[in-house]
Amino acid sequence: MNEAMEKSEILSWLRETNSRRLQTLWHHADEIRRRHVGNAVHLRGLVEISSHCVRQCAYCGLHVGNAELTRYRMEAAEIVDAAHQAVAFGYGTVVMQAGEDYGLKADWLSAIIQQIKRETPLAITLSLGERTDAELQEWRAAGADRYLLRFETSNSALFDRIHPPLGNRPCDRLALLRRLRELGYEVGSGVMAGIPGQTYESLANDILLFRELDLDMIGIGPFVPHPATPLGQNSPDFPYAGEDQVPNTELSVYKAVALTRIVRPDANIPATTALATINQKNGRELGLQRGANVVMPNLTPLQYRQLYQIYPGKACVTETGEACNTCLSGRILRIGRHIGSGPGGRGTHANAQENICHA
Ligand code: SAM
C-alpha cells in the first residue's frame, strides 16, 4: 500500500468487510499520517456566515426550495468577533462557510477579510460555493488564504443530477479548483460517501482524483439524508446502485479517509462534523486514528447554528464555541495526539519530521 496505489486495490479495500484485514488498512493509514503530517491535530474554527443559498442541490437542507428553513446572514461584527474567539481558543484558522449567497457582497466580505488579517494572525479559509472569478480574485487580494469547494462526486452524470446548474451558467467545479490554485489559494475539495447512485467504482475514482488534483485539503463525510430534500425523500429520480452502491455509513467514510491518506500522504484531512454526527460517541476520534489530522470546531453563534441545517442531527449544534473547544481538545488529547499550533497549512511536513525525532 503506497501513494501509487492502483484503482483495483482501492476498489478492493472499499469493498472489504473483514474487520481483521481492515485493521491493516487503519494501521497503515495512521502510520503514514504520523510520518507525513505528525501527531498534531489542527483546529479550524468554523463560522457558518449565511444560510441563504441560490442552489437547488438535491442533498442539502439549505437548498433554495426549502421554504421551512429560517434564513440568516451574520453581521460583519459578529464574524470578526468569531475570528477573535478562534484566536482566544488558540486556533490557527478561521473558516467562513455559507450557502451560495450572492447577498454576501464581494466588497463587504473583503473588508471583513482585511480586518481579520489586520487584527489576528489567522489563516482565512473561504467555502462559499461557485463564486465569480472577479470575487475569487478580490477575496484572494484581500488576504484569503484557502478555498474549499467539494466536487462531491467525480461521476459527472451523478453530479449534474444532484447539483443542477444555475440558469445558463456552466458548472465545472474541477475547472474552478484549478483556477483557485492559479489565484494562489491553497485548495481543498472532497466528496460525500454514500450518495444514492454512487458506486464503489465512482468512490475509487474520487480518491484517484484527489491524487491527480494534488489537493491541499480533502474532506470526506457521509451523506446524511435531510427530509426536506429530494435525496432525503427516496425520490425515484435518484435510484440506488444496487449491490454496487456505497453505503452512507461511517465504515465507508473511514475507508475513504484511510485510502485518501495513503494516496495523498501530506494532505490536510478533517475528521468531519458529518462523521461526528453519525457516530457522536467516537466518530471524530476514529477518523483521526484512520488518517485524519484536522478538526473543525464550530464557532457559529448559537442563535444561528441550528439554522444552518445542511442535514438533521448535526453534531455540536447546541454547544457554545467554548464548550465545543473544551470537548474537542479533550477528545484529541485522550487519543494521544496534541493540538497543532499556527495555521497548519500544507508544509506541516517540517513539524512531522520534528515529531518523528521526538517520538
Ligand atoms: N455552498 C458551499 C458549497 O456548496 O461548497 C458551501 C456550503 S455546503 C453546505 C458544504 C458541504 O456540505 C457540501 O460541499 C456538501 O458536501 C456538504 N453537505 C451538504 N448536504 C449534505 C448532506 N445532506 N449530507 C452530508 N453532507 C452534506
mmCIF file of all heavy atoms in Angstrom, residues 251-295:
data_model
loop_
_atom_site.group_PDB
_atom_site.id
_atom_site.type_symbol
_atom_site.label_atom_id
_atom_site.label_comp_id
_atom_site.label_asym_id
_atom_site.label_seq_id
_atom_site.Cartn_x
_atom_site.Cartn_y
_atom_site.Cartn_z
ATOM 1 N N LEU A 251 -18.294 3.364 8.267
ATOM 2 C CA LEU A 251 -17.240 2.495 7.738
ATOM 3 C C LEU A 251 -16.796 2.945 6.339
ATOM 4 O O LEU A 251 -15.594 2.985 6.042
ATOM 5 C CB LEU A 251 -17.731 1.039 7.708
ATOM 6 C CG LEU A 251 -16.682 0.000 7.310
ATOM 7 C CD1 LEU A 251 -15.496 0.023 8.276
ATOM 8 C CD2 LEU A 251 -17.293 -1.405 7.245
ATOM 9 N N SER A 252 -17.768 3.323 5.503
ATOM 10 C CA SER A 252 -17.411 3.821 4.160
ATOM 11 C C SER A 252 -16.494 5.025 4.283
ATOM 12 O O SER A 252 -15.528 5.190 3.535
ATOM 13 C CB SER A 252 -18.654 4.264 3.383
ATOM 14 O OG SER A 252 -19.529 3.200 3.169
ATOM 15 N N VAL A 253 -16.804 5.905 5.238
ATOM 16 C CA VAL A 253 -16.006 7.127 5.396
ATOM 17 C C VAL A 253 -14.605 6.779 5.893
ATOM 18 O O VAL A 253 -13.606 7.287 5.364
ATOM 19 C CB VAL A 253 -16.700 8.114 6.364
ATOM 20 C CG1 VAL A 253 -15.836 9.345 6.601
ATOM 21 C CG2 VAL A 253 -18.054 8.520 5.813
ATOM 22 N N TYR A 254 -14.494 5.903 6.886
ATOM 23 C CA TYR A 254 -13.162 5.546 7.396
ATOM 24 C C TYR A 254 -12.305 4.961 6.271
ATOM 25 O O TYR A 254 -11.125 5.281 6.148
ATOM 26 C CB TYR A 254 -13.241 4.521 8.532
ATOM 27 C CG TYR A 254 -14.032 4.980 9.734
ATOM 28 C CD1 TYR A 254 -14.924 4.122 10.377
ATOM 29 C CD2 TYR A 254 -13.886 6.276 10.231
ATOM 30 C CE1 TYR A 254 -15.653 4.537 11.469
ATOM 31 C CE2 TYR A 254 -14.622 6.701 11.330
ATOM 32 C CZ TYR A 254 -15.506 5.819 11.946
ATOM 33 O OH TYR A 254 -16.240 6.237 13.027
ATOM 34 N N LYS A 255 -12.912 4.100 5.456
ATOM 35 C CA LYS A 255 -12.136 3.503 4.354
ATOM 36 C C LYS A 255 -11.661 4.584 3.397
ATOM 37 O O LYS A 255 -10.491 4.612 3.002
ATOM 38 C CB LYS A 255 -12.994 2.492 3.577
ATOM 39 C CG LYS A 255 -13.299 1.216 4.326
ATOM 40 C CD LYS A 255 -14.187 0.376 3.408
ATOM 41 C CE LYS A 255 -14.739 -0.842 4.079
ATOM 42 N NZ LYS A 255 -15.720 -1.533 3.221
ATOM 43 N N ALA A 256 -12.573 5.489 3.027
ATOM 44 C CA ALA A 256 -12.195 6.542 2.066
ATOM 45 C C ALA A 256 -11.137 7.467 2.667
ATOM 46 O O ALA A 256 -10.196 7.871 1.981
ATOM 47 C CB ALA A 256 -13.436 7.330 1.645
ATOM 48 N N VAL A 257 -11.264 7.771 3.956
ATOM 49 C CA VAL A 257 -10.271 8.633 4.618
ATOM 50 C C VAL A 257 -8.904 7.926 4.638
ATOM 51 O O VAL A 257 -7.873 8.521 4.303
ATOM 52 C CB VAL A 257 -10.729 8.994 6.057
ATOM 53 C CG1 VAL A 257 -9.584 9.553 6.894
ATOM 54 C CG2 VAL A 257 -11.876 10.004 6.004
ATOM 55 N N ALA A 258 -8.906 6.672 5.016
ATOM 56 C CA ALA A 258 -7.636 5.935 5.117
ATOM 57 C C ALA A 258 -6.962 5.836 3.741
ATOM 58 O O ALA A 258 -5.757 6.085 3.597
ATOM 59 C CB ALA A 258 -7.895 4.539 5.695
ATOM 60 N N LEU A 259 -7.746 5.506 2.727
ATOM 61 C CA LEU A 259 -7.170 5.363 1.376
ATOM 62 C C LEU A 259 -6.685 6.716 0.854
ATOM 63 O O LEU A 259 -5.656 6.805 0.184
ATOM 64 C CB LEU A 259 -8.210 4.751 0.426
ATOM 65 C CG LEU A 259 -8.556 3.288 0.755
ATOM 66 C CD1 LEU A 259 -9.864 2.869 0.096
ATOM 67 C CD2 LEU A 259 -7.419 2.358 0.320
ATOM 68 N N THR A 260 -7.417 7.766 1.199
ATOM 69 C CA THR A 260 -7.008 9.109 0.780
ATOM 70 C C THR A 260 -5.685 9.481 1.438
ATOM 71 O O THR A 260 -4.799 10.050 0.798
ATOM 72 C CB THR A 260 -8.118 10.126 1.130
ATOM 73 O OG1 THR A 260 -9.287 9.747 0.413
ATOM 74 C CG2 THR A 260 -7.733 11.542 0.750
ATOM 75 N N ARG A 261 -5.537 9.164 2.720
ATOM 76 C CA ARG A 261 -4.257 9.438 3.387
ATOM 77 C C ARG A 261 -3.109 8.694 2.675
ATOM 78 O O ARG A 261 -2.022 9.247 2.507
ATOM 79 C CB ARG A 261 -4.338 9.022 4.865
ATOM 80 C CG ARG A 261 -3.019 9.059 5.612
ATOM 81 C CD ARG A 261 -2.395 10.462 5.631
ATOM 82 N NE ARG A 261 -3.197 11.420 6.383
ATOM 83 C CZ ARG A 261 -3.085 12.752 6.243
ATOM 84 N NH1 ARG A 261 -2.230 13.287 5.393
ATOM 85 N NH2 ARG A 261 -3.852 13.576 6.960
ATOM 86 N N ILE A 262 -3.380 7.470 2.242
ATOM 87 C CA ILE A 262 -2.312 6.684 1.608
ATOM 88 C C ILE A 262 -1.922 7.304 0.257
ATOM 89 O O ILE A 262 -0.740 7.406 -0.054
ATOM 90 C CB ILE A 262 -2.742 5.201 1.475
ATOM 91 C CG1 ILE A 262 -2.864 4.602 2.878
ATOM 92 C CG2 ILE A 262 -1.747 4.406 0.630
ATOM 93 C CD1 ILE A 262 -3.584 3.275 2.952
ATOM 94 N N VAL A 263 -2.919 7.756 -0.521
ATOM 95 C CA VAL A 263 -2.557 8.299 -1.841
ATOM 96 C C VAL A 263 -2.155 9.774 -1.787
ATOM 97 O O VAL A 263 -1.531 10.276 -2.717
ATOM 98 C CB VAL A 263 -3.678 8.102 -2.905
ATOM 99 C CG1 VAL A 263 -4.042 6.637 -3.034
ATOM 100 C CG2 VAL A 263 -4.912 8.937 -2.620
ATOM 101 N N ARG A 264 -2.511 10.472 -0.685
ATOM 102 C CA ARG A 264 -2.129 11.893 -0.545
ATOM 103 C C ARG A 264 -1.538 12.104 0.852
ATOM 104 O O ARG A 264 -2.155 12.741 1.726
ATOM 105 C CB ARG A 264 -3.354 12.795 -0.757
ATOM 106 C CG ARG A 264 -3.736 13.008 -2.188
ATOM 107 C CD ARG A 264 -2.723 13.854 -2.979
ATOM 108 N NE ARG A 264 -2.629 15.208 -2.441
ATOM 109 C CZ ARG A 264 -1.596 15.675 -1.736
ATOM 110 N NH1 ARG A 264 -0.527 14.936 -1.519
ATOM 111 N NH2 ARG A 264 -1.604 16.898 -1.255
ATOM 112 N N PRO A 265 -0.312 11.581 1.061
ATOM 113 C CA PRO A 265 0.223 11.491 2.429
ATOM 114 C C PRO A 265 0.327 12.803 3.184
ATOM 115 O O PRO A 265 0.187 12.813 4.400
ATOM 116 C CB PRO A 265 1.623 10.906 2.211
ATOM 117 C CG PRO A 265 1.592 10.258 0.882
ATOM 118 C CD PRO A 265 0.582 11.002 0.062
ATOM 119 N N ASP A 266 0.578 13.925 2.487
ATOM 120 C CA ASP A 266 0.764 15.163 3.246
ATOM 121 C C ASP A 266 -0.437 16.101 3.194
ATOM 122 O O ASP A 266 -0.349 17.260 3.580
ATOM 123 C CB ASP A 266 2.033 15.895 2.785
ATOM 124 C CG ASP A 266 1.891 16.431 1.361
ATOM 125 O OD1 ASP A 266 0.939 16.014 0.657
ATOM 126 O OD2 ASP A 266 2.719 17.265 0.948
ATOM 127 N N ALA A 267 -1.580 15.601 2.749
ATOM 128 C CA ALA A 267 -2.778 16.468 2.694
ATOM 129 C C ALA A 267 -3.320 16.713 4.102
ATOM 130 O O ALA A 267 -3.080 15.930 5.023
ATOM 131 C CB ALA A 267 -3.858 15.805 1.843
ATOM 132 N N ASN A 268 -4.056 17.807 4.253
ATOM 133 C CA ASN A 268 -4.809 18.032 5.483
ATOM 134 C C ASN A 268 -6.186 17.409 5.305
ATOM 135 O O ASN A 268 -6.919 17.755 4.365
ATOM 136 C CB ASN A 268 -4.917 19.530 5.772
ATOM 137 C CG ASN A 268 -3.637 20.051 6.398
ATOM 138 O OD1 ASN A 268 -3.117 19.432 7.335
ATOM 139 N ND2 ASN A 268 -3.114 21.141 5.892
ATOM 140 N N ILE A 269 -6.508 16.477 6.194
ATOM 141 C CA ILE A 269 -7.757 15.717 6.051
ATOM 142 C C ILE A 269 -8.551 15.848 7.357
ATOM 143 O O ILE A 269 -8.081 15.404 8.412
ATOM 144 C CB ILE A 269 -7.456 14.220 5.761
ATOM 145 C CG1 ILE A 269 -6.603 14.092 4.494
ATOM 146 C CG2 ILE A 269 -8.748 13.424 5.660
ATOM 147 C CD1 ILE A 269 -6.214 12.654 4.153
ATOM 148 N N PRO A 270 -9.737 16.469 7.313
ATOM 149 C CA PRO A 270 -10.508 16.596 8.553
ATOM 150 C C PRO A 270 -11.275 15.324 8.918
ATOM 151 O O PRO A 270 -11.695 14.565 8.044
ATOM 152 C CB PRO A 270 -11.487 17.733 8.235
ATOM 153 C CG PRO A 270 -11.642 17.711 6.756
ATOM 154 C CD PRO A 270 -10.349 17.178 6.181
ATOM 155 N N ALA A 271 -11.440 15.135 10.229
ATOM 156 C CA ALA A 271 -12.466 14.206 10.719
ATOM 157 C C ALA A 271 -13.723 15.076 10.745
ATOM 158 O O ALA A 271 -13.836 15.980 11.564
ATOM 159 C CB ALA A 271 -12.109 13.705 12.107
ATOM 160 N N THR A 272 -14.641 14.843 9.813
ATOM 161 C CA THR A 272 -15.700 15.823 9.540
ATOM 162 C C THR A 272 -16.829 15.813 10.580
ATOM 163 O O THR A 272 -17.036 14.819 11.292
ATOM 164 C CB THR A 272 -16.337 15.552 8.154
ATOM 165 O OG1 THR A 272 -16.782 14.187 8.123
ATOM 166 C CG2 THR A 272 -15.337 15.785 7.029
ATOM 167 N N THR A 273 -17.551 16.924 10.607
ATOM 168 C CA THR A 273 -18.703 17.030 11.507
ATOM 169 C C THR A 273 -19.773 16.006 11.116
ATOM 170 O O THR A 273 -20.460 15.454 11.983
ATOM 171 C CB THR A 273 -19.298 18.460 11.427
ATOM 172 O OG1 THR A 273 -18.233 19.375 11.678
ATOM 173 C CG2 THR A 273 -20.393 18.674 12.451
ATOM 174 N N ALA A 274 -19.901 15.743 9.808
ATOM 175 C CA ALA A 274 -20.919 14.754 9.384
ATOM 176 C C ALA A 274 -20.570 13.376 9.951
ATOM 177 O O ALA A 274 -21.456 12.612 10.354
ATOM 178 C CB ALA A 274 -21.005 14.707 7.859
ATOM 179 N N LEU A 275 -19.282 13.081 10.022
ATOM 180 C CA LEU A 275 -18.858 11.802 10.606
ATOM 181 C C LEU A 275 -19.201 11.784 12.095
ATOM 182 O O LEU A 275 -19.720 10.790 12.625
ATOM 183 C CB LEU A 275 -17.351 11.621 10.375
ATOM 184 C CG LEU A 275 -16.714 10.353 10.928
ATOM 185 C CD1 LEU A 275 -17.372 9.106 10.361
ATOM 186 C CD2 LEU A 275 -15.209 10.340 10.627
ATOM 187 N N ALA A 276 -18.946 12.920 12.762
ATOM 188 C CA ALA A 276 -19.263 13.014 14.193
ATOM 189 C C ALA A 276 -20.772 12.972 14.413
ATOM 190 O O ALA A 276 -21.237 12.630 15.496
ATOM 191 C CB ALA A 276 -18.687 14.305 14.761
ATOM 192 N N THR A 277 -21.533 13.312 13.379
ATOM 193 C CA THR A 277 -22.993 13.293 13.501
ATOM 194 C C THR A 277 -23.526 11.859 13.475
ATOM 195 O O THR A 277 -24.413 11.503 14.244
ATOM 196 C CB THR A 277 -23.625 14.122 12.351
ATOM 197 O OG1 THR A 277 -23.198 15.471 12.505
ATOM 198 C CG2 THR A 277 -25.132 14.042 12.349
ATOM 199 N N ILE A 278 -22.936 11.026 12.612
ATOM 200 C CA ILE A 278 -23.475 9.653 12.551
ATOM 201 C C ILE A 278 -22.840 8.750 13.609
ATOM 202 O O ILE A 278 -23.367 7.696 13.902
ATOM 203 C CB ILE A 278 -23.398 9.033 11.138
ATOM 204 C CG1 ILE A 278 -21.951 8.905 10.638
ATOM 205 C CG2 ILE A 278 -24.255 9.797 10.151
ATOM 206 C CD1 ILE A 278 -21.860 8.037 9.384
ATOM 207 N N ASN A 279 -21.715 9.170 14.176
ATOM 208 C CA ASN A 279 -21.177 8.460 15.348
ATOM 209 C C ASN A 279 -20.728 9.518 16.355
ATOM 210 O O ASN A 279 -19.578 9.924 16.356
ATOM 211 C CB ASN A 279 -20.012 7.546 14.972
ATOM 212 C CG ASN A 279 -19.391 6.895 16.219
ATOM 213 O OD1 ASN A 279 -19.789 7.194 17.354
ATOM 214 N ND2 ASN A 279 -18.424 6.033 16.013
ATOM 215 N N GLN A 280 -21.709 9.948 17.164
ATOM 216 C CA GLN A 280 -21.421 11.052 18.096
ATOM 217 C C GLN A 280 -20.449 10.601 19.181
ATOM 218 O O GLN A 280 -19.723 11.415 19.742
ATOM 219 C CB GLN A 280 -22.722 11.563 18.735
ATOM 220 C CG GLN A 280 -23.754 11.942 17.688
ATOM 221 C CD GLN A 280 -24.414 13.291 17.918
ATOM 222 O OE1 GLN A 280 -24.235 13.924 18.935
ATOM 223 N NE2 GLN A 280 -25.205 13.730 16.947
ATOM 224 N N LYS A 281 -20.452 9.286 19.462
ATOM 225 C CA LYS A 281 -19.611 8.804 20.568
ATOM 226 C C LYS A 281 -18.137 8.950 20.233
ATOM 227 O O LYS A 281 -17.397 9.590 20.967
ATOM 228 C CB LYS A 281 -19.973 7.340 20.843
ATOM 229 C CG LYS A 281 -19.269 6.772 22.033
ATOM 230 C CD LYS A 281 -19.893 5.449 22.478
ATOM 231 C CE LYS A 281 -18.922 4.700 23.379
ATOM 232 N NZ LYS A 281 -18.112 3.728 22.639
ATOM 233 N N ASN A 282 -17.704 8.392 19.107
ATOM 234 C CA ASN A 282 -16.258 8.473 18.811
ATOM 235 C C ASN A 282 -15.930 8.509 17.315
ATOM 236 O O ASN A 282 -14.854 8.091 16.911
ATOM 237 C CB ASN A 282 -15.491 7.333 19.505
ATOM 238 C CG ASN A 282 -15.903 5.965 18.983
ATOM 239 O OD1 ASN A 282 -16.884 5.847 18.269
ATOM 240 N ND2 ASN A 282 -15.146 4.940 19.337
ATOM 241 N N GLY A 283 -16.866 9.051 16.516
ATOM 242 C CA GLY A 283 -16.608 9.159 15.069
ATOM 243 C C GLY A 283 -15.386 10.002 14.773
ATOM 244 O O GLY A 283 -14.551 9.658 13.929
ATOM 245 N N ARG A 284 -15.275 11.130 15.463
ATOM 246 C CA ARG A 284 -14.124 12.012 15.215
ATOM 247 C C ARG A 284 -12.821 11.318 15.565
ATOM 248 O O ARG A 284 -11.851 11.366 14.804
ATOM 249 C CB ARG A 284 -14.251 13.274 16.049
ATOM 250 C CG ARG A 284 -15.067 14.345 15.371
ATOM 251 C CD ARG A 284 -14.601 15.720 15.825
ATOM 252 N NE ARG A 284 -15.482 16.736 15.307
ATOM 253 C CZ ARG A 284 -16.608 17.125 15.906
ATOM 254 N NH1 ARG A 284 -16.978 16.596 17.038
ATOM 255 N NH2 ARG A 284 -17.360 18.056 15.349
ATOM 256 N N GLU A 285 -12.816 10.666 16.729
ATOM 257 C CA GLU A 285 -11.581 10.005 17.175
ATOM 258 C C GLU A 285 -11.177 8.920 16.174
ATOM 259 O O GLU A 285 -10.005 8.814 15.791
ATOM 260 C CB GLU A 285 -11.776 9.349 18.551
ATOM 261 C CG GLU A 285 -11.843 10.329 19.703
ATOM 262 C CD GLU A 285 -13.258 10.808 20.002
ATOM 263 O OE1 GLU A 285 -14.086 10.892 19.061
ATOM 264 O OE2 GLU A 285 -13.539 11.125 21.164
ATOM 265 N N LEU A 286 -12.156 8.128 15.732
ATOM 266 C CA LEU A 286 -11.816 7.056 14.789
ATOM 267 C C LEU A 286 -11.324 7.632 13.471
ATOM 268 O O LEU A 286 -10.402 7.110 12.854
ATOM 269 C CB LEU A 286 -13.016 6.119 14.588
ATOM 270 C CG LEU A 286 -13.335 5.248 15.806
ATOM 271 C CD1 LEU A 286 -14.628 4.453 15.584
ATOM 272 C CD2 LEU A 286 -12.192 4.281 16.111
ATOM 273 N N GLY A 287 -11.921 8.735 13.041
ATOM 274 C CA GLY A 287 -11.433 9.407 11.826
ATOM 275 C C GLY A 287 -9.979 9.816 12.001
ATOM 276 O O GLY A 287 -9.138 9.598 11.117
ATOM 277 N N LEU A 288 -9.684 10.400 13.166
ATOM 278 C CA LEU A 288 -8.304 10.861 13.423
ATOM 279 C C LEU A 288 -7.331 9.682 13.524
ATOM 280 O O LEU A 288 -6.145 9.832 13.232
ATOM 281 C CB LEU A 288 -8.244 11.668 14.725
ATOM 282 C CG LEU A 288 -8.892 13.055 14.685
ATOM 283 C CD1 LEU A 288 -8.973 13.662 16.084
ATOM 284 C CD2 LEU A 288 -8.113 13.996 13.757
ATOM 285 N N GLN A 289 -7.835 8.528 13.921
ATOM 286 C CA GLN A 289 -6.944 7.363 14.059
ATOM 287 C C GLN A 289 -6.846 6.557 12.771
ATOM 288 O O GLN A 289 -6.127 5.564 12.709
ATOM 289 C CB GLN A 289 -7.443 6.473 15.200
ATOM 290 C CG GLN A 289 -7.245 7.151 16.545
ATOM 291 C CD GLN A 289 -7.938 6.433 17.683
ATOM 292 O OE1 GLN A 289 -9.074 5.963 17.546
ATOM 293 N NE2 GLN A 289 -7.264 6.332 18.812
ATOM 294 N N ARG A 290 -7.593 6.999 11.748
ATOM 295 C CA ARG A 290 -7.582 6.256 10.479
ATOM 296 C C ARG A 290 -7.192 7.173 9.323
ATOM 297 O O ARG A 290 -7.625 6.970 8.205
ATOM 298 C CB ARG A 290 -8.947 5.585 10.269
ATOM 299 C CG ARG A 290 -9.182 4.533 11.341
ATOM 300 C CD ARG A 290 -10.576 3.969 11.388
ATOM 301 N NE ARG A 290 -10.643 2.941 12.429
ATOM 302 C CZ ARG A 290 -11.703 2.224 12.725
ATOM 303 N NH1 ARG A 290 -12.829 2.404 12.052
ATOM 304 N NH2 ARG A 290 -11.659 1.310 13.666
ATOM 305 N N GLY A 291 -6.437 8.212 9.618
ATOM 306 C CA GLY A 291 -5.887 9.031 8.538
ATOM 307 C C GLY A 291 -6.083 10.529 8.673
ATOM 308 O O GLY A 291 -5.362 11.302 8.042
ATOM 309 N N ALA A 292 -7.060 10.973 9.463
ATOM 310 C CA ALA A 292 -7.339 12.417 9.513
ATOM 311 C C ALA A 292 -6.386 13.141 10.465
ATOM 312 O O ALA A 292 -5.807 12.533 11.371
ATOM 313 C CB ALA A 292 -8.793 12.645 9.937
ATOM 314 N N ASN A 293 -6.237 14.464 10.237
ATOM 315 C CA ASN A 293 -5.352 15.268 11.090
ATOM 316 C C ASN A 293 -5.900 16.662 11.374
ATOM 317 O O ASN A 293 -5.150 17.528 11.831
ATOM 318 C CB ASN A 293 -3.954 15.395 10.445
ATOM 319 C CG ASN A 293 -3.967 16.255 9.198
ATOM 320 O OD1 ASN A 293 -4.898 16.186 8.404
ATOM 321 N ND2 ASN A 293 -2.942 17.079 9.011
ATOM 322 N N VAL A 294 -7.174 16.875 11.060
ATOM 323 C CA VAL A 294 -7.776 18.203 11.238
ATOM 324 C C VAL A 294 -9.163 18.025 11.849
ATOM 325 O O VAL A 294 -9.853 17.047 11.560
ATOM 326 C CB VAL A 294 -7.913 18.920 9.865
ATOM 327 C CG1 VAL A 294 -8.787 20.163 9.954
ATOM 328 C CG2 VAL A 294 -6.543 19.283 9.283
ATOM 329 N N VAL A 295 -9.561 18.990 12.695
ATOM 330 C CA VAL A 295 -10.931 19.015 13.207
ATOM 331 C C VAL A 295 -11.428 20.459 13.089
ATOM 332 O O VAL A 295 -10.635 21.395 13.198
ATOM 333 C CB VAL A 295 -10.982 18.523 14.679
ATOM 334 C CG1 VAL A 295 -12.310 18.829 15.318
ATOM 335 C CG2 VAL A 295 -10.715 17.022 14.756
#
